[in-house]
Amino acid sequence: MATVGAATAVVQTSGDGDAASAASASASATTTTSPATSPSADALEQVAPGLARYQREDLEEGLWARPGLAARDRHLVTLAHLVGSGQTQHLTTYLEDALDAGLTPAEVSETVTHLAFYSGWENAASAVGPLQEVFAARGVSAQDLPAASPDLLPLDQAAEAARAEQVQSTYGEVSQGVVDSTGEVLFRDLWLRPDLAPRDRSLVTVTALVSSGQVQQIPFHLGRAMDNGLTEAEVGETMHQLAFYAGWPKVFSAMPTVGEVLAARR
Amino acid sequence: MATVGAATAVVQTSGDGDAASAASASASATTTTSPATSPSADALEQVAPGLARYQREDLEEGLWARPGLAARDRHLVTLAHLVGSGQTQHLTTYLEDALDAGLTPAEVSETVTHLAFYSGWENAASAVGPLQEVFAARGVSAQDLPAASPDLLPLDQAAEAARAEQVQSTYGEVSQGVVDSTGEVLFRDLWLRPDLAPRDRSLVTVTALVSSGQVQQIPFHLGRAMDNGLTEAEVGETMHQLAFYAGWPKVFSAMPTVGEVLAARR
Amino acid sequence: MATVGAATAVVQTSGDGDAASAASASASATTTTSPATSPSADALEQVAPGLARYQREDLEEGLWARPGLAARDRHLVTLAHLVGSGQTQHLTTYLEDALDAGLTPAEVSETVTHLAFYSGWENAASAVGPLQEVFAARGVSAQDLPAASPDLLPLDQAAEAARAEQVQSTYGEVSQGVVDSTGEVLFRDLWLRPDLAPRDRSLVTVTALVSSGQVQQIPFHLGRAMDNGLTEAEVGETMHQLAFYAGWPKVFSAMPTVGEVLAARR
């Protein structure tokens, strides 16, 4: 997990696939911090001993070890929150940890692409540098990544027609440009790209909504997420993950609406 | 535009007004990326080929080329969003592109000054370094910039009296300090500074509101923007520009309120 | 105060507890700017003369000198806003100024720890580097900081039972994990840590709520703040401080709710 500290970070960012050099880096890393990539447990201890304890007891041994949401999904949620809110200071460490936990380079790449639309273009663009660094260190190449124009997943024509009509009637009088791009770029293209499963794309989207306080947009996307396979238990633990990473207030503000969506589907 | 990639960025940030050296930089720039200032098209291709395609097709050849809102205004909106939300990683590139598109140094300077009050002091302060860098490279000097205390535009006494009374009655019981500063610093000073037109000041303000999710403040400022000359078509395309740059959810959350303002004025 | 410019910043960040070298740094600092830590008055003058004037007249000689909220509290509010919103570019300068104004290293450390939960983990983590730098320069050591597991303040059993029941009934159906962590980690641990007074912890929390636009969470925490000793005058000037630092729109959106809390307690 991303909070595991300097040792992991140093090993991973030095990684060139050479096991010997990685082992050597690991040996020295145990006594070195890497402030450029992450506040290590040592750094936390030095300035905020309470925070260091919470990180160890309530994050590393607590939240991240809980059932209800797979570690790989916790990484997806955490990464989506960080990229979507432009928090890049320790992003290489979080990216390394996410890849170690089983997210593929293609999934991470698509997550950033998806967030360009759901969290703003420049937040995605600001993740490109860290992504380059991490992919280069791991030897990720073009064939590991999604194509620019892959074969798209099939479109659910009925659901898309209903969505399009709702958006047209709500927003058409304000901005036909937004309405058109919503259909053409988002729902008839982005959402159909195959390298991030619709369920994961929904999880990323719901995370972006909670993380940016956009509660009004939750009902549509949470419903879609559950249609795409997200379970109630996973929704609950996603909120728990976000309480720690996006902060309690945003989760408390979102949970009544989340609760209404869950209740309506029971 | 800001997303045009490394070649433009390198030429512009190397710019010292010397055409020969700029041309030389341009020649080499076509094969170099400049990760310090902007993710180039090459960098995007390397880590997120889909995002690179969207940038080319839907931003560069799509959004930025659309009618309804002048390119200069699209830069003003984009810049206001980035400065107002503290997204400084590629800000020098966006600033260069905005100046190339016709925004004057004085307008850019006033935009940052205006955002200190509408997006928080430190977001404006965080743009000062990039601004220094870009202005220095272009030889912008004191006489190109607004005076500290210029002759102010005339005050609309009746409108200001109505605004002051509304703010006093709504907020006076909570904070007379806020009420007083709103009148003295904002509406009897900042808004009357002549180096950014009231219509542009309103466009910057509405952008800051959508970008930070402050929907409740939209009716007053959008009405003021249209009183100041912003057209319905421009409002619609501002929302479209912000869908891409501030993200879809913030625009979707704002549009019902925007629609009510438009409808009430028809 | 944090906007006082380069001279203060340079002296402070060079500080090693050696009075002679500090005095020497001070002598040279009056003619040097330190763009790495803060936009100096000179830097502001160069790119935004109006902003420089507002900083001098309305912040330094205005807001920060006002009665109603102690300078030390204004620093606590400003710091909580900056850390909570991840604005780290000039954070070392703000930290230096806050310590000079009387906040203790232990209080600053606890403020960052508190914000991990109220503004998201990574915003707190992003302040660790600047905190290390400032604490090291001042020779702050482990005995100046809160213990990882100090003796906790006594718990108000009745108030906690009421809070727990309300949270269980509102959120239990959505995420029992969130409900459990709210009690165990936040209200039975974090809030009882003795190195930041409950009144200050509340001021930090209310600041985080206004700064992130989480208006729905204000009634509970503002009521608690006033139970913990925050006065009406201090609430009003906290809003004034945040108008400048978090921006007018967030304060205008919060003030109706703040007003309702104040009115209900009169």
Side-chain angles (χ1 to χ4, degrees):
Chain A
M1 49 160 298
T3 49
V4 104
T8 309
V10 171
V11 173
Q12 293 174 343
T13 57
S14 75
D16 55 4
D18 180 329
S21 82
S24 152
S26 179
S28 64
T30 52
T31 52
T32 333
T33 60
S34 177
T37 53
S38 173
S40 65
D42 279 358
L44 276 185
E45 287 287 356
Q46 279 171 30
V47 298
L51 194 57
R53 176 171 66 81
Y54 290 127
Q55 174 165 302
R56 193 176 56 249
E57 293 179 3
D58 298 299
L59 279 184
E60 296 180 13
E61 298 167 7
L63 183 73
W64 286 86
R66 282 176 63 89
L69 190 67
R72 174 258 189 211
D73 289 342
R74 291 187 187 273
H75 280 284
L76 187 62
V77 166
T78 304
L79 213 51
H81 162 65
L82 294 175
V83 171
S85 54
Q87 300 190 279
T88 57
Q89 189 182 125
H90 307 124
L91 190 55
T92 54
T93 305
Y94 284 100
L95 286 167
E96 293 283 356
D97 291 344
L99 292 168
D100 286 346
L103 284 172
T104 67
E107 287 170 333
V108 170
S109 172
E110 279 299 297
T111 296
V112 171
T113 300
H114 193 85
L115 289 167
F117 299 95
Y118 283 93
S119 302
W121 195 267
E122 185 59 17
N123 281 322
S126 296
V128 167
L131 219 53
Q132 278 187 292
E133 186 183 328
V134 171
F135 282 179
R138 294 186 171 228
V140 171
S141 66
Q143 71 253 34
D144 302 315
L145 296 178
S149 300
D151 289 341
L152 298 179
L153 300 176
L155 180 68
D156 179 336
Q157 299 282 355
E160 172 56 12
R163 186 210 58 74
E165 186 185 313
Q166 196 270 330
V167 167
Q168 180 67 51
S169 66
T170 312
Y171 304 127
E173 291 287 302
V174 178
S175 178
Q176 191 59 43
V178 171
V179 171
D180 292 346
S181 290
T182 305
E184 292 160 19
V185 186
L186 271 57
F187 286 91
R188 292 174 172 276
D189 189 338
L190 180 72
W191 278 91
L192 305 179
R193 292 173 60 86
D195 291 278
L196 187 66
R199 177 262 195 199
D200 290 345
R201 224 170 258 282
S202 282
L203 187 55
V204 167
T205 307
V206 169
T207 293
L209 297 178
V210 174
S211 160
S212 63
Q214 298 304 304
V215 175
Q216 292 172 65
Q217 311 308 317
I218 288 178
F220 174 79
H221 281 292
L222 183 57
R224 187 174 166 94
M226 298 183 78
D227 290 344
N228 285 336
L230 201 70
T231 68
E232 262 204 49
E234 288 171 335
V235 171
E237 277 303 303
T238 297
M239 294 300 122
H240 199 188
Q241 188 78 11
L242 286 172
F244 280 90
Y245 283 94
W248 248 258
K250 284 181 175 160
V251 165
F252 267 35
S253 293
M255 286 212 295
T257 299
V258 171
E260 287 167 23
V261 172
L262 297 184
R265 296 175 69 96
R266 273 172 200 144
Chain B
M1 49 160 297
T3 50
V4 102
T8 310
V10 171
V11 173
Q12 292 174 344
T13 57
S14 75
D16 55 2
D18 180 328
S21 83
S24 152
S26 179
S28 65
T30 52
T31 53
T32 333
T33 60
S34 177
T37 53
S38 173
S40 64
D42 278 359
L44 277 185
E45 287 287 357
Q46 279 171 31
V47 298
L51 194 56
R53 176 172 66 79
Y54 290 126
Q55 175 166 300
R56 193 174 57 248
E57 293 179 4
D58 298 299
L59 278 184
E60 297 180 12
E61 298 166 7
L63 183 73
W64 285 85
R66 281 177 63 90
L69 189 67
R72 176 259 187 209
D73 289 342
R74 291 186 187 273
H75 279 285
L76 187 62
V77 166
T78 305
L79 212 51
H81 162 65
L82 294 174
V83 171
S85 53
Q87 300 189 281
T88 57
Q89 188 182 128
H90 306 123
L91 190 56
T92 53
T93 304
Y94 284 100
L95 285 167
E96 292 284 354
D97 292 342
L99 292 167
D100 286 347
L103 284 172
T104 67
E107 287 170 335
V108 170
S109 171
E110 280 298 298
T111 296
V112 170
T113 300
H114 193 84
L115 289 167
F117 299 93
Y118 283 92
S119 303
W121 195 266
E122 185 59 16
N123 281 323
S126 296
V128 166
L131 219 53
Q132 277 187 292
E133 186 183 330
V134 171
F135 282 179
R138 293 185 172 227
V140 172
S141 65
Q143 71 251 35
D144 302 315
L145 296 178
S149 300
D151 289 341
L152 298 178
L153 299 176
L155 180 67
D156 180 336
Q157 300 282 355
E160 172 55 12
R163 185 209 60 74
E165 186 185 313
Q166 196 269 329
V167 167
Q168 180 67 51
S169 66
T170 312
Y171 304 126
E173 292 287 301
V174 179
S175 178
Q176 191 61 41
V178 171
V179 171
D180 292 345
S181 290
T182 306
E184 292 160 18
V185 186
L186 271 56
F187 286 92
R188 292 173 173 275
D189 191 338
L190 179 72
W191 277 91
L192 305 179
R193 291 173 61 86
D195 292 279
L196 188 65
R199 178 263 195 198
D200 291 345
R201 224 170 258 284
S202 282
L203 187 56
V204 167
T205 307
V206 169
T207 293
L209 296 178
V210 175
S211 160
S212 62
Q214 297 305 305
V215 175
Q216 291 172 66
Q217 311 307 319
I218 288 178
F220 173 79
H221 280 293
L222 184 57
R224 188 175 167 92
M226 298 182 79
D227 291 343
N228 285 335
L230 201 71
T231 68
E232 262 204 47
E234 288 170 336
V235 171
E237 277 303 303
T238 296
M239 293 302 121
H240 199 187
Q241 188 78 10
L242 286 171
F244 281 90
Y245 283 95
W248 248 258
K250 285 183 175 158
V251 165
F252 266 35
S253 292
M255 287 213 295
T257 299
V258 170
E260 287 168 21
V261 172
L262 297 184
R265 297 176 68 98
R266 272 172 200 144
Chain C
M1 50 159 295
T3 51
V4 102
T8 309
V10 171
V11 173
Q12 294 174 343
T13 57
S14 76
D16 55 3
D18 179 329
S21 83
S24 150
S26 179
S28 65
T30 53
T31 52
T32 332
T33 61
S34 177
T37 52
S38 172
S40 65
D42 279 0
L44 277 185
E45 287 288 357
Q46 279 171 29
V47 299
L51 193 57
R53 175 171 68 79
Y54 290 126
Q55 175 166 302
R56 194 174 56 247
E57 293 179 3
D58 298 299
L59 279 185
E60 296 180 11
E61 298 166 6
L63 183 74
W64 285 85
R66 282 176 63 91
L69 190 67
R72 174 260 189 211
D73 289 341
R74 291 186 188 273
H75 280 285
L76 187 62
V77 167
T78 305
L79 213 51
H81 161 65
L82 294 175
V83 171
S85 54
Q87 299 189 280
T88 56
Q89 188 182 126
H90 306 124
L91 190 55
T92 54
T93 305
Y94 284 99
L95 285 167
E96 293 283 355
D97 292 343
L99 292 167
D100 286 345
L103 285 171
T104 67
E107 288 171 333
V108 169
S109 172
E110 280 299 297
T111 297
V112 170
T113 300
H114 193 85
L115 289 167
F117 299 94
Y118 284 93
S119 302
W121 195 266
E122 185 58 17
N123 281 321
S126 296
V128 167
L131 219 52
Q132 278 187 293
E133 185 183 330
V134 171
F135 282 179
R138 294 185 170 228
V140 172
S141 67
Q143 70 251 37
D144 302 314
L145 296 177
S149 300
D151 289 341
L152 298 178
L153 300 175
L155 180 67
D156 179 336
Q157 300 281 356
E160 172 56 13
R163 185 210 59 73
E165 186 185 313
Q166 195 269 331
V167 166
Q168 180 67 51
S169 67
T170 312
Y171 305 126
E173 291 287 300
V174 179
S175 177
Q176 191 60 41
V178 171
V179 171
D180 292 346
S181 290
T182 305
E184 292 160 19
V185 187
L186 271 57
F187 286 92
R188 292 173 173 276
D189 190 337
L190 179 72
W191 276 91
L192 306 178
R193 291 173 62 85
D195 291 280
L196 188 66
R199 177 263 196 197
D200 291 345
R201 224 170 258 284
S202 282
L203 187 55
V204 166
T205 307
V206 169
T207 293
L209 297 177
V210 175
S211 160
S212 63
Q214 296 305 304
V215 175
Q216 290 173 68
Q217 311 308 317
I218 287 179
F220 174 80
H221 280 292
L222 184 57
R224 187 174 166 93
M226 297 183 80
D227 291 345
N228 285 336
L230 200 71
T231 68
E232 263 205 48
E234 288 171 335
V235 171
E237 277 303 303
T238 296
M239 293 302 123
H240 199 187
Q241 189 77 11
L242 287 171
F244 280 90
Y245 283 94
W248 248 258
K250 284 182 176 159
V251 166
F252 267 35
S253 292
M255 287 213 294
T257 298
V258 171
E260 286 167 22
V261 173
L262 297 184
R265 296 176 68 97
R266 274 175 198 141

